[in-house]
Amino acid sequence: MLWGLFMDISRCGRAICAAFSYVIFIGTFSALGETVVSEQNGLEYTAYESPKDIPAHVFARDKELIDIKLSPDGKFLLMVVPRGSFYEARVQPTDLTDTNTYFIGHFIPSEFKGAAWGSNNRLLFITETYSWGRRWKLINNRIIYAAQHDGAAVEKLLHVTFEKSEYYTNDTILSYLPDNPNSVIVTYSDEGKEWPGIFKLDIYTGETQKISDGYKYIDDWYVDSEGKPRFGMGWHKRELRMVSRTNGNSRWNELDTASIGDSERFRFMGFNPDNPNLAYAKASHGTDRDIIYEFDLQTGALGNVVYDNGQLDAGWLVRNPHNNQLLAAYTEGDKLEKAYLDPYYEKIDRQLDRALPGRANYITQLTPDNKSALVYSISDSYAGAFYHYDFDGKTVAIFNENNPALNPDYLAKTTAISYAARDGLRIPAYLTLPQNAAKTNLPLVVMPHGGPWVRDTNEYDFWVQFIASRGYAVLRPNFRGSDGFGRKFEALGYGEWGGAMIDDIADGVTHLANEGIVDKTRVCIAGASFGGYAAIMSAIRYEDMYKCALAVAPVTDLKEWAETLDDRAGKDYYTRITGKYGRKVFKTQNPVKQAKHLRVPLVLIHGAKDYRVGVEHSQEMDKALKKAGHAPKYVELETEGHSLQLAKSRTRVLRETERLLDEYLGR
């Protein structure tokens, strides 16, 4: 997850749209540094007899805010909220005495990619759609829209198209220019050129001015605070290519990558505000874990260490968006770990943690005067909320919660555990137990994560909490191949999608059974994306262990999947899939080729509009299982994509989960 003071907050939370109609104070600082006792006074929840009585749709409901951004001057909030089958964008003043609300427009959820302030009164929105081009090439369409903060003059600024097989950058907007409120810096391939160039886009007229042509093999560009292109990177034949130029120089310099260690783990992390020839980068140079270093833009060499967690991979840098100064470095461990790089930021952040104890608290945006901030707060048993943090007033005020219908008192706690895999490798995991349950002989649901390297964290998960509310323990193993635990741990998963990764998951079940925590005769497995693949392969390989399986949007044909991934990320992905075994995995670790061996009851669920893992994967698995005489229950969600963006889709998944578990595990 990419966090920082500029971070994309859409992953973690969505507060309520009518934010300021429901503001309460949860903590008051009578003096800087004083410990504060915080209360959720004023929040009212629906009462239930017990967690099992909470309906599925309550867990599955839309979070109350898709995106929220403070204007640069801190006077307005841009909020994107769910409204039926659409997202609605609106603006509200931060001044509580001003009750005006400005409607901006609607977006289709599967197309909405982000919103931002281009200036104090100009809004920008990014959408993304797909269409079929020549020879059935998948075409990506990215559009930037603009509007005034009061909803006037909504218009299309830029429309960029490219084929998925072409080299392209993931971020269309590279920089918002604080000293030039009329423009932003964008990147795209113009006039059929293969490599993306860099342009200045006027956010009022839509006119573009080319700043730099594209550079061969470079598809990931970075500009400094003045909007000047200073660094780029890309891949060719699985080799990292890097170019840079010093401030004021128009000539690109190709950098040697020999000194950065494992090039696949190199991440550029921004420019040093005080030295134009220095930047920051994350790399695993001479060590097993990722460390954040200074990075010489003239030579490509790593320099002084900025942050080293000591055990886990370094996470991300937190920076002041107004002067680019470093404030802190974060790492996601079993809890959010923070290393402070600025004394004032440390003071205000520690105050925040005292006001909201037992949670991961993220300062997501600072106002230019450094007097207030937007905060996101979440825990394993709290669905999360956004807050307004007033430094001068020494108050933290809640806008509202992600899920105001769900009382955290009903939610289960999660514990970090670890166990030994059969080859001795320690596997970190999270264990969630039902409220007030005896820690013995519990029915178990195993939930492998997606990616497959996107590690699980100890934060709220609606699916996990729903299953726990029904009386089942939930195990989420960070099997080999998961990120965050060092490059060796991650590399152990290459070529092991259906092999050692599946064994690691099974070893977790055995560990809990040997500890007497779970009943080994009542175990099911469920997951989405790679987790869905893992659920199917686990049911194939360990049919005596699992009584049932449920897979959402699973990859079921590794060969087809690998061969569609022909951009730079796809080539790396191909290596992760095949590892040392090569193409053999396309038979031995391929669910659709192993369908005849699957006898465990299975539910398949897939969105018909899934462009990441096509619905054909589940359709073909359904056919293969029917041919083998072991038909699954197949549910196709007509309006859903890959990530269960719709509340009705999440509700259907929860209801299918409950039905399956009740039938094969019982409560």
Side-chain angles (χ1 to χ4, degrees):
M1 117 178 157
L2 300 176
W3 282 95
L5 288 179
F6 315 88
M7 42 195 165
D8 176 4
I9 56 180
S10 61
R11 171 188 180 272
C12 62
R14 308 162 185 177
I16 201 159
C17 60
F20 286 99
S21 65
Y22 190 41
V23 175
I24 61 169
F25 292 97
I26 65 162
T28 301
F29 304 107
S30 59
L32 288 176
E34 182 177 341
T35 301
V36 178
V37 178
S38 301
E39 299 178 355
Q40 295 291 109
N41 296 329
L43 297 180
E44 297 180 0
Y45 302 103
T46 302
Y48 297 96
E49 289 292 328
S50 68
K52 69 180 181 180
D53 297 317
I54 304 174
H57 71 266
V58 172
F59 287 94
R61 65 176 285 168
D62 283 323
K63 294 179 181 178
E64 296 292 336
L65 202 77
I66 307 305
D67 207 350
I68 182 170
K69 298 286 173 59
L70 274 171
S71 62
D73 58 10
K75 293 181 179 180
F76 293 95
L77 273 173
L78 164 63
M79 292 174 284
V80 180
V81 302
R83 281 291 176 266
S85 58
F86 294 95
Y87 289 164
E88 179 181 293
R90 59 172 58 183
V91 170
Q92 291 184 209
T94 54
D95 181 355
L96 302 185
T97 64
D98 188 340
T99 59
N100 288 310
T101 297
Y102 304 105
F103 169 76
I104 309 300
H106 286 114
F107 297 90
I108 298 172
S110 60
E111 298 178 358
F112 178 78
K113 295 302 174 186
W117 291 90
S119 66
N120 285 326
N121 58 15
R122 193 68 164 165
L123 306 170
L124 298 176
F125 303 91
I126 302 176
T127 65
E128 185 174 64
T129 62
Y130 296 93
S131 58
W132 295 107
R134 294 176 301 170
R135 298 181 181 179
W136 294 105
K137 288 281 189 178
L138 191 61
I139 304 297
N140 184 304
N141 301 277
R142 291 188 186 168
I143 301 175
I144 299 177
Y145 294 93
Q148 292 298 97
H149 80 280
D150 60 1
V154 178
E155 57 188 320
K156 183 191 295 186
L157 280 185
L158 182 69
H159 186 173
V160 178
T161 64
F162 50 84
E163 293 184 356
K164 286 289 286 181
S165 60
E166 292 178 350
Y167 285 71
Y168 62 92
T169 181
N170 288 324
D171 297 315
T172 303
I173 298 179
L174 294 181
S175 177
Y176 302 90
L177 302 174
D179 296 329
N180 185 351
N182 293 332
S183 300
V184 296
I185 305 299
V186 298
T187 177
Y188 58 90
S189 298
D190 68 321
E191 300 175 354
K193 294 181 180 179
E194 184 174 11
W195 310 104
I198 304 171
F199 305 82
K200 181 183 291 186
L201 172 67
D202 189 306
I203 62 176
Y204 290 89
T205 67
E207 294 180 358
T208 58
Q209 175 188 348
K210 182 176 286 187
I211 297 175
S212 177
D213 284 319
Y215 196 98
K216 194 173 184 179
Y217 307 128
I218 304 301
D219 59 359
D220 197 3
W221 288 112
Y222 297 86
V223 299
D224 62 20
S225 59
E226 297 178 356
K228 297 177 181 178
R230 300 286 309 287
F231 180 78
M233 55 188 287
W235 292 83
H236 178 59
K237 295 182 179 180
R238 301 186 184 179
E239 292 185 0
L240 179 64
R241 302 296 179 94
M242 300 190 303
V243 296
S244 71
R245 62 187 183 194
T246 55
N247 194 19
N249 193 340
S250 61
R251 186 169 179 268
W252 288 106
N253 176 38
E254 294 192 5
L255 300 177
D256 185 3
T257 62
S259 64
I260 64 173
D262 185 347
S263 60
E264 290 186 359
R265 300 183 69 85
F266 178 86
R267 299 291 183 271
F268 188 79
M269 305 195 79
F271 300 94
N272 186 311
D274 302 317
N275 187 333
N277 294 321
L278 283 182
Y280 305 106
K282 184 166 66 172
S284 55
H285 176 62
T287 180
D288 178 54
R289 64 186 176 275
D290 290 347
I291 296 172
I292 299 176
Y293 299 89
E294 289 183 337
F295 178 64
D296 192 317
L297 290 169
Q298 294 178 302
T299 66
L302 299 173
N304 295 327
V305 172
V306 176
Y307 172 61
D308 178 7
N309 178 268
Q311 293 182 314
L312 301 172
D313 289 332
W316 61 95
L317 292 173
V318 180
R319 308 169 71 129
N320 188 315
H322 312 296
N323 59 25
N324 222 24
Q325 294 292 333
L326 296 184
L327 302 178
Y330 286 8
T331 291
E332 273 188 321
D334 293 330
K335 62 179 181 179
L336 182 63
E337 299 183 19
K338 305 177 182 181
Y340 296 105
L341 304 174
D342 178 87
Y344 179 68
Y345 183 82
E346 178 177 7
K347 180 182 291 186
I348 62 173
D349 194 65
R350 289 191 183 280
Q351 289 174 172
L352 176 64
D353 285 343
R354 283 192 287 267
L356 302 172
R359 301 186 194 170
N361 300 309
Y362 304 90
I363 295 179
T364 64
Q365 283 186 276
L366 282 173
T367 51
D369 58 10
N370 283 337
K371 292 184 177 181
S372 65
L374 191 65
V375 171
Y376 182 72
S377 181
I378 191 171
S379 77
D380 60 331
S381 57
Y382 182 61
F386 280 101
Y387 298 79
H388 183 260
Y389 181 8
D390 183 343
F391 307 156
D392 287 347
K394 303 178 181 63
T395 57
V396 181
I398 190 169
F399 294 159
N400 215 309
E401 302 179 287
N402 281 353
N403 191 339
L406 193 57
N407 189 338
D409 291 343
Y410 291 123
L411 300 182
K413 300 296 292 183
T414 297
T415 303
I417 66 169
S418 69
Y419 57 87
R422 62 195 63 189
D423 61 359
L425 183 69
R426 297 301 300 182
I427 304 298
Y430 296 108
L431 179 63
T432 305
L433 300 180
Q435 271 199 3
N436 304 318
K439 197 176 178 180
T440 180
N441 282 335
L442 291 167
L444 174 68
V445 178
V446 185
M447 299 191 71
H449 61 68
W453 50 85
V454 184
R455 61 157 293 176
D456 260 320
T457 61
N458 194 10
E459 291 185 357
Y460 173 82
D461 183 291
F462 81 97
W463 202 1
V464 171
Q465 287 293 341
F466 174 78
I467 292 173
S469 76
R470 269 47 185 171
Y472 305 100
V474 181
L475 174 68
R476 292 180 292 154
N478 279 315
F479 39 78
R480 70 190 68 204
S482 303
D483 64 7
F485 304 98
R487 61 190 180 100
K488 290 181 181 177
F489 189 88
E490 185 174 328
L492 286 172
Y494 293 178
E496 299 291 351
W497 280 33
M501 286 182 175
I502 304 303
D503 295 335
D504 290 346
I505 295 167
D507 291 343
V509 177
T510 300
H511 167 75
L512 293 179
N514 289 341
E515 292 288 311
I517 297 172
V518 305
D519 180 353
K520 67 179 182 180
T521 68
R522 293 195 294 161
V523 181
C524 284
I525 185 166
S529 196
F530 174 82
Y533 165 90
I536 296 173
M537 283 304 300
S538 294
I540 290 172
R541 294 192 51 216
Y542 290 94
E543 64 174 304
D544 292 335
M545 176 174 286
Y546 301 105
K547 300 302 180 186
C548 62
L550 187 147
V552 178
V555 173
T556 66
D557 189 338
L558 290 185
K559 182 174 183 294
E560 190 277 336
W561 173 246
E563 290 178 349
T564 62
L565 298 167
D566 52 4
D567 59 17
R568 65 158 181 149
K571 292 174 182 177
D572 180 43
Y573 215 117
Y574 189 95
T575 301
R576 292 169 181 255
I577 295 171
T578 58
K580 63 184 179 182
Y581 305 109
R583 296 179 64 85
K584 291 180 181 179
V585 301
F586 296 150
K587 181 178 180 180
T588 60
Q589 299 183 26
N590 209 352
V592 77
K593 297 295 184 182
Q594 299 292 320
K596 64 182 179 180
H597 300 297
L598 179 58
R599 297 177 178 83
V600 172
L602 171 68
V603 174
L604 282 172
I605 304 176
H606 215 122
K609 295 185 177 181
D610 188 340
Y611 293 106
R612 181 170 298 176
V613 179
V615 68
E616 297 82 9
H617 281 267
S618 285
Q619 291 172 342
E620 292 303 314
M621 192 69 198
D622 179 48
K623 291 177 184 178
L625 287 170
K626 286 177 178 176
K627 183 177 179 180
H630 305 292
K633 179 173 183 180
Y634 177 48
V635 178
E636 193 165 299
L637 306 172
E638 293 183 4
T639 57
E640 186 57 79
H642 186 69
S643 303
L644 296 180
Q645 290 180 301
L646 303 177
K648 63 180 181 180
S649 300
R650 294 190 294 272
T651 300
R652 181 66 184 272
V653 168
L654 296 187
R655 287 174 178 165
E656 291 294 341
T657 301
E658 184 171 27
R659 181 199 62 77
L660 187 70
L661 298 182
D662 284 352
E663 181 175 354
Y664 292 100
L665 298 187
R667 295 191 186 182

